Amino acid sequence: MTQPDAATRERITQALRGQRIETPSWAYANSGTRFKVFPQEGVPRNPYEKIADAAVVHRLTGVAPTVALHIPWDRVDDYANLAGYAADQGVALGAINANVFQDNDYKLGSVTNPDPAVRRKAIDHLLDCVDIMDATGSRDLKLWFSDGTNYPGQDDFRARQDRLAVALRETYDRLGDDQRMLLEYKLFEPAFYTTDVPDWGTAYAHCLELGPKAQVVIDTGHHAPGTNIEFIVAFLLRAGKLGAFDFNSRFYADDDLMVGAADPFQLFRIMYEIVRGDALRPEAGIAFMLDQCHNIEPKIPAIIRSVLNVQEATAKALLVDADALAAAQRAGDVLGANAVLMDAYHTDVRPLLAELRADLGLDPDPMAAYARSGYFEKIRAERAGGQQAGWGA
Ligand code: LRH
Ligand code: MN
């Protein structure tokens, strides 16, 4: 596959300049599995230090200007002050993630719980998160519910959907004009028989019922094995109901590994549907977020690597010769059409990206630049004492 001509390079680098990837505060903190959380040196002890680490990722990649928060993991006394600190660091606060999955009261569900008092408590947390959005200037409220059941008969599916709809409606009506609700689905875990928002269809149906400010989040680790995620991307984009991604990758279930690590070809196919739907530009309103847990690997380099993986998949997707593809598809040329896509996928876009970074005044190799920066040594020394941040699970 020959390297792209000058005009194509210009078109691609223009599009890549506008790429925006949001990093998750919790990926900078300790995380693990139900078996073990392995603490790491230099891990942040509070949201300010998480934001400082996210700012390093943005300074080195140029395309990660926002940080998603998770409440209460990122609870502070003064969110406006936190937003000011983020701005001083050169980043902004992004999506606010509610958390109704770690309180003892939520054993049988949060907004779907049979107990109205528990449902009230959960809804009040969602409303608190909108108050926080008002203080941080965040556009997106991201909702993932661990709600579900473990045994047939445990609860009534319809009643739980009714309860969910009531909670979503009250929260939706609290949103400001420029605010959105992003509803995330997940096939299973921690519930193992039903999950109340298990798939894109259920999330889509609730978002349709709610209104234009409700959109679906696709977490790439939340599907049954073999699910064609790029089809879901194309469908929701066409319907105007794709609001965001939680990017990560997996070999088995919700492994939350670095995006593009387990299946770079899938990430390419997903980004091709984004490019095909003209949805890469920020004005299209899609929030491209990472949602990962770096249980054994150093966290900041893992997030830099993840941002680079998304950039590489995007550059390959932008390389697809759309005219040749359309012609082959019209002609029913199955192998020809497939070859057009595979040519782009097999193109080494790293030189083009290195050149783009140089044009942006950045080091062409952010991973090497981070290793040389001495930042890890600095935070390891500074953050020796105190309580490391984590999931608190
Ligand atoms: C649930 C999930 C959700 C977050 C959590 C950290 O699996 O993907 O997006 O709230 O991870
Ligand atoms: Mn997620």
Side-chain angles (χ1 to χ4, degrees):
M1 174 66 189
T2 55
Q3 281 296 314
D5 61 32
T8 301
R9 292 173 76 84
E10 183 48 32
R11 173 177 59 78
I12 292 173
T13 47
Q14 272 318 311
L16 290 169
R17 282 173 188 277
Q19 185 157 40
R20 296 288 174 269
I21 298 162
E22 183 158 307
T23 67
S25 66
W26 55 98
Y28 298 100
N30 283 329
S31 61
T33 70
R34 59 183 166 174
F35 299 107
K36 174 68 177 167
V37 172
F38 295 98
Q40 294 186 20
E41 293 179 311
V43 156
R45 296 157 304 175
N46 57 60
Y48 290 83
E49 292 180 346
K50 296 175 189 176
I51 289 167
D53 293 357
V56 169
V57 173
H58 183 47
R59 277 201 294 280
L60 293 171
T61 64
V63 293
T66 56
V67 190
L69 299 184
H70 218 296
I71 309 300
W73 300 339
D74 297 314
R75 190 179 295 292
V76 294
D77 300 335
D78 184 340
Y79 287 100
N81 178 275
L82 188 69
Y85 173 78
D88 295 345
Q89 295 282 316
V91 292
L93 301 181
I96 300 298
N97 286 259
N99 180 335
V100 287
F101 52 86
Q102 286 187 311
D103 188 295
N104 292 342
D105 290 340
Y106 299 147
K107 184 170 74 176
L108 300 180
S110 64
V111 296
T112 64
N113 194 293
D115 179 342
V118 174
R119 300 201 294 271
R120 185 68 258 160
K121 174 179 176 175
I123 296 171
D124 288 343
H125 171 70
L126 306 184
L127 300 175
D128 286 349
C129 287
V130 183
D131 296 342
I132 293 169
M133 291 162 67
D134 293 342
T136 60
S138 298
R139 173 191 64 179
D140 295 337
L141 172 68
K142 182 154 150 283
L143 301 178
W144 170 67
F145 298 103
S146 61
D147 293 43
T149 64
N150 275 0
Y151 297 97
Q154 175 185 331
D155 199 352
D156 181 80
F157 301 162
R158 298 174 60 112
R160 293 176 74 92
Q161 289 300 311
D162 293 341
R163 298 162 194 160
L164 172 64
V166 166
L168 293 174
R169 170 53 62 194
E170 182 174 347
T171 308
Y172 184 93
D173 293 346
R174 165 67 185 81
L175 294 172
D177 295 343
D178 305 327
Q179 296 175 331
R180 300 189 306 177
M181 167 191 289
L182 302 174
L183 183 57
E184 184 174 357
Y185 58 88
K186 181 175 180 178
L187 183 65
F188 79 103
E189 189 212 32
F192 296 106
Y193 171 52
T194 66
T195 293
D196 293 293
V197 186
D199 55 30
W200 71 271
T202 307
Y204 177 54
H206 279 288
C207 289
L208 275 180
E209 199 176 309
L210 289 160
K213 291 188 282 187
Q215 307 263 326
V216 178
V217 180
I218 297 179
D219 184 311
T220 46
H222 286 188
H223 304 82
T227 299
N228 187 319
I229 299 176
E230 60 271 25
F231 172 83
I232 301 170
V233 172
F235 185 96
L236 290 174
L237 258 183
R238 179 175 169 278
K241 275 298 183 188
L242 177 61
F245 286 95
D246 264 5
F247 277 141
N248 49 63
S249 71
R250 52 82 169 276
F251 290 104
Y252 302 103
D254 192 18
D255 307 355
D256 280 339
L257 300 172
M258 292 187 297
V259 61
D263 191 344
F265 185 41
Q266 180 188 61
L267 181 59
F268 161 76
R269 300 192 313 265
I270 288 171
M271 293 315 292
Y272 170 69
E273 289 305 330
I274 291 292
V275 170
R276 165 77 182 73
D278 187 24
L280 186 63
R281 53 201 168 80
E283 306 75 44
I286 310 291
F288 297 94
M289 303 182 284
L290 303 180
D291 179 8
Q292 301 175 172
C293 300
H294 305 298
N295 301 342
I296 59 173
E297 68 270 31
K299 300 172 188 294
I300 297 171
I303 295 168
I304 294 171
R305 180 68 261 169
S306 302
V307 170
L308 305 186
N309 286 355
V310 175
Q311 280 188 306
E312 288 171 21
T314 307
K316 290 171 184 263
L318 288 162
L319 261 177
V320 173
D321 182 336
D323 297 340
L325 181 61
Q329 289 170 342
R330 270 195 309 277
D333 177 2
V334 175
L335 294 179
N338 177 249
V340 171
L341 224 67
M342 296 316 288
D343 280 350
Y345 179 65
H346 289 308
T347 302
D348 185 355
V349 293
R350 293 172 292 184
L352 180 148
L353 286 165
E355 196 183 304
L356 169 68
R357 294 185 191 107
D359 289 355
L360 291 169
L362 304 172
D363 188 295
D365 182 348
M367 293 293 281
Y370 177 74
R372 273 197 316 276
S373 71
Y375 185 76
F376 174 66
E377 292 73 14
K378 180 172 93 69
I379 58 176
R380 180 173 55 189
E382 283 173 2
R383 299 173 185 175
Q387 173 62 45
Q388 294 189 328
W391 278 24

